[in-house]
Each structure stands twice: as C-alpha cells, then as structure tokens.
Amino acid sequence: MPRHSSLVFVFFFAFLFLTFLAALTFPAFGSAQTDSDRPFSRFGIAIKTSLLGAGLEAATPLTARSDLRAGFNIFSYDHTFKEDGVAYAGQLRFRSVEAHYDWFPFHGRFHLSPGVLLYNGNQITANSSVPAGNTFILNNTTYVSDPSDPISGTGKLEFVKAGPMFTVGWGSLLPHHRHFSFPFELGVIYTGAPRTAINMGGSACDSTGQNCLDITSNSAFQANVQAEQNKLNKDMSAFKFYPVISAGFGVNF
C-alpha cells in the first residue's frame, strides 16, 4: 500500500476507534443536549496548514461543550547543501496523525484541546558524498576522498513515533447556525529528543592523499563518525517539544 494511502487508512481507523471510545464514555450527556449537539449527530471537515504540514481534519460532537477531532498532515521538502567538504542531498518528510478532545468551557469559540500525536513519521534523511580526490573534515580531522573509492553515506534524524500534545484555539469545525468555519490554534507536542544516525562507506586517505583505507575497517575513522553522531544528538537533546500553529477552512453538515 502506498505511504499516503496508509496514512489515510490510519487516520480513519484512529477516528473510528476514538469515536467508539467516546460513545462508551459520554452516553449520559445525550439527554441534556439539543439534537445538533448529540454525539456523532453531525460531522465537519477542514483543510488546514500548520507547522506539521498540509492536512485534513474531521470532527464530530460529543457533548454540548466538546468535540472529537482527528486528522493527518503531510509535507515534503528537498534541499542540497555542502558543509566541511561533504555534499548533502537532504529530504524533509513530515507524516503524522493526530487526535484531539476539544473542550469549549465558555460555550464560545475558544477551546482547550488535549490530544495525542498517534503517529509521528516526521524525519530528515540525507545522502552524502565527497567527490574523488576532494578533502573533507570529520570531527576536526581532515581526510581526502579516495579517487578509486570515493566516500558516500547516509544520515537520518527522527523522533519517537507518538507523543502527547496540547493546544488552545479559536473556532470549531461544528459551529452552530453556520456551515463554514476558520479554526486557528497553537500549542506544543512532546516529541522527545530527536535521534540521529550516520553511516558512511568508501575509502579515505590522510590529509596528504596517502595511506588510503576502507573506512568500514578503520577504527579511527569510525570513532570520528561516532563522535560526530554523538555531538549531533547532544545538540538536539534540548528540542523535546515541537510547536504547533495551524489555521484552516472547514465545512460541516
């Protein structure tokens, strides 16, 4: 199954599962609600854009003051750059599924929304290369890419696959007396510290272009690779929370 189709399947499965749980949790509220506020009596959908990418959301009422909302997000971006003599072809891929309990404490547009990032497939990957005979620096050590077996490699930065989130916002996908809405919200997701992994292959020579060795069997080179990976992980260890800012356009029926 293609990746995008899998995300759509996960989204609808999560949405149906959470609505089933909500139906078991909130049956007593039905008698105090109007017809339009009864659980699962209406549905709203929205397209949105956020720091998680472009997305689609769906919502249904649970009580007079709360809705169940779920959605998925997708974003892709490619970029090439060069650092310390190494050329990188980077790919940013955002793929995520989220669910929220929207609570409207004042019967207005303002809401508090505890939620969960059910699937976090956000990651950065990169293919690296050093042209034959070119110099590059790794952990403050200068090498030359072997002309007969140039250096190449891969790198990845990824997050834990799920995490709690909390947002506050204005607007509902299920406004009364209107078919359209323009929801906006902001908040944070706990993603944990992202982790990096670096793999490199080929042969490297010393700074004079001599003494070329296969880097996979060169313990000194591998120690420098590990040191670079540890440095990146240490630099990223403070980034355990990811901000959320989103705006969208919704319709309900």
Side-chain angles (χ1 to χ4, degrees):
M1 182 181 292
R3 182 183 290 266
H4 290 188
S5 299
S6 299
L7 285 173
V8 173
F9 174 80
V10 170
F11 159 64
F12 281 110
F13 176 81
F15 186 79
L16 292 174
F17 178 71
L18 289 172
T19 55
F20 172 73
L21 290 181
L24 297 178
T25 306
F26 295 101
F29 285 91
S31 59
Q33 295 174 309
T34 64
D35 288 342
S36 63
D37 289 328
R38 292 183 184 277
F40 321 122
S41 59
R42 296 187 296 144
F43 289 90
I45 59 173
I47 56 173
K48 69 170 186 175
T49 181
S50 75
L51 294 181
L52 290 170
L56 178 68
E57 289 187 319
T60 188
L62 295 178
T63 73
R65 292 193 183 190
S66 64
D67 298 338
L68 176 67
R69 176 168 53 96
F72 66 89
N73 311 282
I74 295 176
F75 179 74
S76 299
Y77 178 71
D78 295 342
H79 180 63
T80 59
F81 61 98
K82 189 174 183 179
E83 183 174 354
D84 293 333
V86 183
Y88 295 93
Q91 302 89 37
L92 174 65
R93 298 290 182 265
F94 276 8
R95 307 286 188 269
S96 60
V97 178
E98 57 186 294
H100 304 264
Y101 174 75
D102 295 332
W103 177 49
F104 299 84
F106 310 117
H107 281 294
R109 300 177 66 243
F110 174 76
H111 61 85
L112 304 172
S113 301
V116 60
L117 201 64
L118 297 169
Y119 169 71
N120 184 359
N122 299 340
Q123 63 178 14
I124 300 173
T125 59
N127 295 319
S128 60
S129 62
V130 181
N134 284 20
T135 61
F136 65 101
I137 299 173
L138 185 67
N139 192 36
N140 299 318
T141 303
T142 301
Y143 296 96
V144 175
S145 182
D146 189 344
S148 61
D149 185 21
I151 294 292
S152 63
T154 61
K156 177 183 287 189
L157 183 149
E158 58 184 354
F159 303 84
V160 294
K161 294 304 180 183
M165 59 191 301
F166 185 84
T167 60
V168 298
W170 293 262
S172 167
L173 298 188
L174 301 162
H176 292 283
H177 313 301
R178 289 185 293 118
H179 287 293
F180 303 103
S181 60
F182 300 90
F184 172 82
E185 66 182 342
L186 52 88
V188 294
I189 307 168
Y190 179 77
T191 59
R195 303 295 295 176
T196 61
I198 300 173
N199 294 289
M200 301 185 76
S203 298
C205 315
D206 62 26
S207 58
T208 65
Q210 304 298 314
N211 304 313
C212 302
L213 295 172
D214 182 350
I215 63 173
T216 59
S217 59
N218 187 327
S219 59
F221 189 95
Q222 291 301 318
N224 284 332
V225 172
Q226 187 63 48
E228 282 288 336
Q229 181 173 293
N230 292 342
K231 180 178 181 298
L232 287 171
N233 285 331
K234 182 179 180 180
D235 291 342
M236 299 300 295
S237 63
F239 298 96
K240 297 179 180 179
F241 292 88
Y242 187 81
V244 175
I245 302 175
S246 72
F249 169 74
V251 58
N252 68 90
F253 47 90

